[in-house]
């Protein structure tokens, strides 16, 4: 069988997570799979090209079809391009199925969870649309998150420190800055910083700590060849000193989930971890149901507060790498299982969630299968 990984392209060179593609190529060879990289530019060109790993570099050649396509286009802005939608249409006309229709939008994820009562109680108090001055006036601690954000980029943390003083921190390119001042000054900063992007506001949860650092959980889920959701791994991440998120690239630390829970809850650790996984499984099923069962993988971020209550935070359609040595190999195995499911159950790749689909530009998608595919 053959799996094509959909990336982007710049100057006729593939752009995206090529390390992952190389790992899939090596793992696939051992399993009898052929792996190639495809791009919208290559699929839409009259000669239809792809890239194949030859052991030392990626080599361009004629596109020879695929049993399934795995969307790993690296940036949301690329998925908003007309050529991306044209490529999806081209794959549909060729009858090549795929999964990972596109990045999630945080507000759509939250709306999906709020529609199910048992999950709604696990979502921190959320305002999907808010006016900064009014929000700040309510007091409490708030996290403001860009709906199109990733890895904690662009988040703002706001809280009241005294009768007339508010403090706020924000993260940009992994760097945390902070300031404080009046309600008017704080709300003016929020308006200015969030201008042009859709943000949601969530009440900040006082997370349980491991070795004095707040921690949360990342769970990785993939569909097996029969379309059943399987947990591939769960990891814990502790925030670095003076950091706003637990992401490892921004100073977070890897922890063992059970050990992290034992540090705060002792003998209750196993009970709480079971609840974390049960909640994550329900969250995955609800998101998949809201998208007509077309999803093939995702990660769910959760946390527990200092009383042991479990909270749902985010879902990621294109999970970042899990560095735990036992999780990444399981993920690679899972990709091939998901590809088998996609081949037997899906048609086309779908569309990016919440995207305002632009007009498809350029020549019409070719209905005829390229000669290299027919051969």
């Amino acid at each position: 069988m053959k799996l094509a990984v959909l990336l982007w392209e710049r100057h006729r060179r593939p752009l995206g997570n090529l390390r992952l593609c190389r790992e899939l190529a090596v793992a696939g060879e051992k399993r009898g799979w052929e792996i190639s990289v495809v791009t919208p530019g290559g699929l839409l060109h009259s000669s239809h090209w792809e890239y194949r790993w030859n052991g030392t570099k990626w080599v361009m050649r004629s596109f020879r079809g695929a049993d399934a396509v795995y969307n790993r286009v690296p940036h949301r802005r690329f998925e908003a391009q007309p050529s991306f939608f044209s490529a999806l249409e081209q794959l549909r006309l060729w009858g090549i199925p795929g999964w990972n229709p596109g990045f999630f939008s945080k507000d759509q994820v939250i709306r999906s969870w709020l529609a199910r009562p048992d999950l709604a109680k696990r979502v921190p108090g959320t305002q999907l649309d808010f006016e900064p001055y009014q929000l700040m006036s309510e007091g409490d601690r708030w996290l403001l998150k860009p709906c199109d954000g990733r890895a904690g980029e662009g988040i703002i943390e706001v809280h009241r420190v005294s009768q007339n003083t508010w403090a706020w921190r924000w993260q940009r390119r992994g760097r945390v800055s902070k300031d404080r001042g009046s309600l008017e000054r704080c709300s003016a900063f929020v308006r200015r910083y969030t201008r042009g992007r859709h943000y949601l506001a969530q009440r900040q949860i006082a997370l349980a700590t491991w070795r004095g650092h707040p921690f949360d959980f990342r769970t990785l889920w993939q569909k097996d060849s029969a379309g059943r959701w399987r947990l591939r791994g769960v990891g814990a991440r502790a925030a670095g000193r003076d950091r706003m998120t637990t992401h490892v690239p921004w100073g977070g630390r890897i922890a063992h989930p059970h050990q992290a829970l034992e540090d705060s809850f002792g003998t209750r650790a196993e009970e709480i971890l079971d609840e974390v996984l049960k909640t994550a499984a329900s969250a995955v099923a609800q998101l998949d149901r809201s998208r007509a069962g077309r999803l093939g993988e995702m990660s769910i971020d959760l946390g527990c507060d200092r009383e042991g209550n479990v909270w749902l935070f985010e879902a990621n359609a294109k999970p970042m790498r899990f560095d735990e040595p036992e999780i990444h190999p399981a993920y690679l195995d899972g990709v091939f299982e998901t590809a088998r499911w996609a081949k037997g159950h899906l048609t086309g790749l779908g569309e990016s969630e919440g995207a305002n689909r632009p007009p498809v530009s350029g020549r019409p998608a070719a209905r005829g299968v390229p000669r290299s595919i027919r051969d």
Side-chain angles (χ1 to χ4, degrees), residues 21-22 25-26 35-37 51-59:
C21 295
R22 289 194 300 270
V26 172
I35 306 297
S36 70
V37 167
Y51 299 89
R52 179 81 188 277
W53 180 249
N54 68 0
T56 57
K57 62 181 180 179
W58 293 97
V59 178

Side-chain angles (χ1 to χ4, degrees), residues 204-260:
Q204 189 172 20
I205 301 299
L207 292 173
T209 60
W210 172 69
R211 298 180 181 177
H213 296 271
F215 70 91
D216 57 17
F217 303 98
R218 292 179 64 210
T219 61
L220 177 63
W221 302 81
Q222 292 170 306
K223 279 183 177 173
D224 64 17
S225 57
R228 296 170 298 219
W229 284 104
R230 300 294 188 184
L231 175 67
R232 300 303 181 188
V234 54
R237 301 289 184 270
R241 183 178 179 182
D242 296 326
R243 294 290 180 170
M244 297 177 64
T245 70
T246 61
H247 292 285
V248 173
W250 305 147
R253 300 170 59 190
I254 296 174
H256 188 281
H258 199 277
Q259 292 175 355

Side-chain angles (χ1 to χ4, degrees), residues 15 42 50 62 72 75 78-79 82 165 167 173 203 205 215 218 226 242 256 287 303 321 328 335 363:
L15 177 65
E50 64 181 5
S62 295
R72 294 296 301 198
H75 296 293
F78 296 153
E79 289 190 347
T165 305
R173 297 175 183 172
R203 294 187 187 276
I205 301 299
F215 70 91
R218 292 179 64 210
D242 296 326
H256 188 281
L287 285 175
R321 184 187 183 94
H328 191 63
V335 169
R363 65 193 168 283

